[in-house]
Short mmCIF file of all heavy atoms in Angstrom, two decimals:
data_model
loop_
_atom_site.label_atom_id
_atom_site.label_comp_id
_atom_site.label_asym_id
_atom_site.label_seq_id
_atom_site.Cartn_x
_atom_site.Cartn_y
_atom_site.Cartn_z
N GLN A 148 101.46 95.37 182.18
CA GLN A 148 100.40 95.26 181.17
C GLN A 148 100.60 96.29 180.05
O GLN A 148 100.39 96.00 178.88
CB GLN A 148 99.02 95.42 181.81
CG GLN A 148 97.87 95.28 180.84
CD GLN A 148 97.78 93.89 180.21
OE1 GLN A 148 98.03 92.88 180.85
NE2 GLN A 148 97.45 93.83 178.93
N SER A 149 101.06 97.48 180.41
CA SER A 149 101.27 98.51 179.39
C SER A 149 102.43 98.18 178.45
O SER A 149 102.56 98.79 177.38
CB SER A 149 101.52 99.87 180.07
OG SER A 149 102.68 99.79 180.90
N ASP A 150 103.28 97.22 178.82
CA ASP A 150 104.41 96.80 177.98
C ASP A 150 104.01 95.72 176.98
O ASP A 150 104.78 95.41 176.08
CB ASP A 150 105.54 96.22 178.84
CG ASP A 150 106.12 97.22 179.83
OD1 ASP A 150 106.14 98.42 179.50
OD2 ASP A 150 106.54 96.79 180.92
N VAL A 151 102.83 95.12 177.16
CA VAL A 151 102.43 93.99 176.33
C VAL A 151 101.95 94.50 174.97
O VAL A 151 100.91 95.15 174.86
CB VAL A 151 101.33 93.15 177.03
CG1 VAL A 151 100.87 92.00 176.14
CG2 VAL A 151 101.84 92.63 178.37
N GLU A 152 102.74 94.19 173.93
CA GLU A 152 102.39 94.60 172.57
C GLU A 152 101.18 93.82 172.08
O GLU A 152 101.15 92.59 172.16
CB GLU A 152 103.57 94.35 171.64
CG GLU A 152 103.30 94.67 170.19
CD GLU A 152 104.41 94.20 169.26
OE1 GLU A 152 105.50 93.84 169.74
OE2 GLU A 152 104.16 94.18 168.04
N GLN A 153 100.18 94.53 171.58
CA GLN A 153 98.95 93.91 171.07
C GLN A 153 99.05 93.79 169.55
O GLN A 153 99.39 94.75 168.87
CB GLN A 153 97.74 94.76 171.43
CG GLN A 153 97.55 94.96 172.92
CD GLN A 153 97.23 93.69 173.67
OE1 GLN A 153 96.39 92.90 173.26
NE2 GLN A 153 97.90 93.49 174.79
N GLU A 154 98.72 92.60 169.05
CA GLU A 154 98.71 92.38 167.61
C GLU A 154 97.36 91.80 167.21
O GLU A 154 96.92 90.79 167.75
CB GLU A 154 99.84 91.43 167.20
CG GLU A 154 100.01 91.29 165.71
CD GLU A 154 101.27 90.54 165.32
OE1 GLU A 154 102.06 90.14 166.20
OE2 GLU A 154 101.44 90.34 164.11
N GLN A 155 96.70 92.46 166.28
CA GLN A 155 95.37 92.08 165.83
C GLN A 155 95.46 91.14 164.63
O GLN A 155 96.21 91.41 163.70
CB GLN A 155 94.56 93.32 165.46
CG GLN A 155 93.12 93.05 165.12
CD GLN A 155 92.31 92.58 166.32
OE1 GLN A 155 92.41 93.13 167.40
NE2 GLN A 155 91.51 91.55 166.12
N PHE A 156 94.70 90.06 164.67
CA PHE A 156 94.59 89.11 163.57
C PHE A 156 93.12 89.02 163.17
O PHE A 156 92.25 89.50 163.90
CB PHE A 156 95.10 87.72 163.99
CG PHE A 156 96.56 87.70 164.30
CD1 PHE A 156 97.02 87.98 165.58
CD2 PHE A 156 97.49 87.39 163.32
CE1 PHE A 156 98.38 87.96 165.88
CE2 PHE A 156 98.85 87.37 163.59
CZ PHE A 156 99.29 87.66 164.88
N ASP A 157 92.82 88.38 162.05
CA ASP A 157 91.42 88.25 161.65
C ASP A 157 90.64 87.34 162.59
O ASP A 157 89.43 87.39 162.65
CB ASP A 157 91.30 87.77 160.19
CG ASP A 157 91.95 86.43 159.92
OD1 ASP A 157 92.64 85.89 160.82
OD2 ASP A 157 91.78 85.91 158.82
N TRP A 158 91.33 86.52 163.39
CA TRP A 158 90.67 85.60 164.31
C TRP A 158 90.69 86.08 165.76
O TRP A 158 90.08 85.48 166.63
CB TRP A 158 91.30 84.21 164.22
CG TRP A 158 92.80 84.23 164.32
CD1 TRP A 158 93.69 84.22 163.28
CD2 TRP A 158 93.58 84.28 165.52
NE1 TRP A 158 94.98 84.28 163.77
CE2 TRP A 158 94.93 84.30 165.13
CE3 TRP A 158 93.26 84.30 166.86
CZ2 TRP A 158 95.98 84.35 166.06
CZ3 TRP A 158 94.30 84.35 167.79
CH2 TRP A 158 95.64 84.37 167.37
N GLY A 159 91.43 87.14 166.08
CA GLY A 159 91.50 87.62 167.46
C GLY A 159 92.73 88.46 167.70
O GLY A 159 93.37 88.94 166.76
N THR A 160 93.08 88.62 168.97
CA THR A 160 94.20 89.46 169.36
C THR A 160 95.21 88.65 170.17
O THR A 160 94.83 87.83 171.00
CB THR A 160 93.71 90.64 170.23
OG1 THR A 160 92.72 91.36 169.50
CG2 THR A 160 94.83 91.56 170.63
N ILE A 161 96.49 88.92 169.93
CA ILE A 161 97.56 88.36 170.75
C ILE A 161 98.23 89.51 171.49
O ILE A 161 98.59 90.52 170.89
CB ILE A 161 98.63 87.62 169.91
CG1 ILE A 161 98.08 86.33 169.34
CG2 ILE A 161 99.87 87.33 170.76
CD1 ILE A 161 99.07 85.55 168.49
N GLY A 162 98.38 89.34 172.79
CA GLY A 162 99.21 90.23 173.60
C GLY A 162 100.52 89.50 173.85
O GLY A 162 100.53 88.47 174.51
N TRP A 163 101.59 90.02 173.29
CA TRP A 163 102.90 89.36 173.38
C TRP A 163 103.54 89.69 174.73
O TRP A 163 104.13 90.74 174.92
CB TRP A 163 103.80 89.82 172.24
CG TRP A 163 103.31 89.39 170.91
CD1 TRP A 163 102.64 90.15 169.99
CD2 TRP A 163 103.41 88.09 170.33
NE1 TRP A 163 102.35 89.40 168.87
CE2 TRP A 163 102.81 88.13 169.06
CE3 TRP A 163 103.96 86.88 170.77
CZ2 TRP A 163 102.73 87.02 168.21
CZ3 TRP A 163 103.89 85.78 169.93
CH2 TRP A 163 103.29 85.86 168.68
N ARG A 164 103.40 88.78 175.68
CA ARG A 164 103.88 88.97 177.04
C ARG A 164 105.37 88.63 177.17
O ARG A 164 106.12 89.32 177.88
CB ARG A 164 103.04 88.10 177.98
CG ARG A 164 103.20 88.42 179.42
CD ARG A 164 102.07 87.85 180.23
NE ARG A 164 100.85 88.63 180.11
CZ ARG A 164 100.64 89.79 180.73
NH1 ARG A 164 101.55 90.31 181.50
NH2 ARG A 164 99.50 90.42 180.58
N CYS A 165 105.80 87.58 176.49
CA CYS A 165 107.20 87.14 176.60
C CYS A 165 107.62 86.46 175.30
O CYS A 165 107.00 85.48 174.88
CB CYS A 165 107.34 86.16 177.77
SG CYS A 165 108.97 85.44 177.97
N ARG A 166 108.65 87.00 174.68
CA ARG A 166 109.27 86.40 173.49
C ARG A 166 110.65 87.03 173.34
O ARG A 166 110.94 88.05 173.98
CB ARG A 166 108.40 86.58 172.26
CG ARG A 166 108.14 88.00 171.85
CD ARG A 166 107.24 88.05 170.64
NE ARG A 166 106.87 89.42 170.31
CZ ARG A 166 106.41 89.79 169.15
NH1 ARG A 166 106.27 88.90 168.19
NH2 ARG A 166 106.09 91.04 168.92
N PRO A 167 111.50 86.46 172.51
CA PRO A 167 112.88 86.95 172.45
C PRO A 167 113.00 88.45 172.19
O PRO A 167 113.84 89.12 172.80
CB PRO A 167 113.49 86.15 171.30
CG PRO A 167 112.72 84.89 171.27
CD PRO A 167 111.32 85.28 171.66
N VAL A 168 112.16 89.00 171.32
CA VAL A 168 112.28 90.40 170.95
C VAL A 168 112.01 91.36 172.10
O VAL A 168 112.56 92.46 172.14
CB VAL A 168 111.39 90.71 169.72
CG1 VAL A 168 109.91 90.73 170.09
CG2 VAL A 168 111.79 92.02 169.07
N ASN A 169 111.20 90.96 173.10
CA ASN A 169 110.93 91.90 174.19
C ASN A 169 111.53 91.49 175.53
O ASN A 169 111.68 92.33 176.40
CB ASN A 169 109.42 92.18 174.35
CG ASN A 169 108.64 91.03 174.92
OD1 ASN A 169 108.94 89.87 174.67
ND2 ASN A 169 107.61 91.34 175.69
N THR A 170 111.87 90.21 175.71
CA THR A 170 112.46 89.79 176.99
C THR A 170 113.80 89.09 176.83
O THR A 170 114.50 88.91 177.82
CB THR A 170 111.53 88.83 177.75
OG1 THR A 170 111.40 87.62 176.99
CG2 THR A 170 110.18 89.46 178.05
N GLY A 171 114.13 88.67 175.61
CA GLY A 171 115.34 87.89 175.40
C GLY A 171 115.16 86.41 175.71
O GLY A 171 116.12 85.64 175.70
N ALA A 172 113.91 85.98 175.98
CA ALA A 172 113.64 84.59 176.34
C ALA A 172 114.10 83.64 175.23
O ALA A 172 113.87 83.88 174.06
CB ALA A 172 112.15 84.39 176.57
N LYS A 173 114.74 82.57 175.63
CA LYS A 173 115.22 81.56 174.68
C LYS A 173 114.33 80.32 174.66
O LYS A 173 114.34 79.58 173.70
CB LYS A 173 116.65 81.17 175.03
CG LYS A 173 117.65 82.30 174.85
CD LYS A 173 119.03 81.85 175.28
CE LYS A 173 120.04 82.95 175.10
NZ LYS A 173 119.87 84.09 175.94
N SER A 174 113.58 80.12 175.72
CA SER A 174 112.80 78.89 175.82
C SER A 174 111.29 79.11 175.83
O SER A 174 110.55 78.16 175.58
CB SER A 174 113.17 78.14 177.11
OG SER A 174 114.53 77.76 177.08
#
Side-chain angles (χ1 to χ4, degrees):
Q148 182 63 38
S149 60
D150 299 328
V151 178
E152 177 189 347
Q153 301 294 314
E154 187 170 358
Q155 186 67 45
F156 295 88
D157 59 353
W158 50 264
T160 304
I161 289 180
W163 295 102
R164 194 163 282 283
C165 176
R166 61 182 174 161
V168 72
N169 72 326
T170 64
K173 294 177 179 66
S174 298

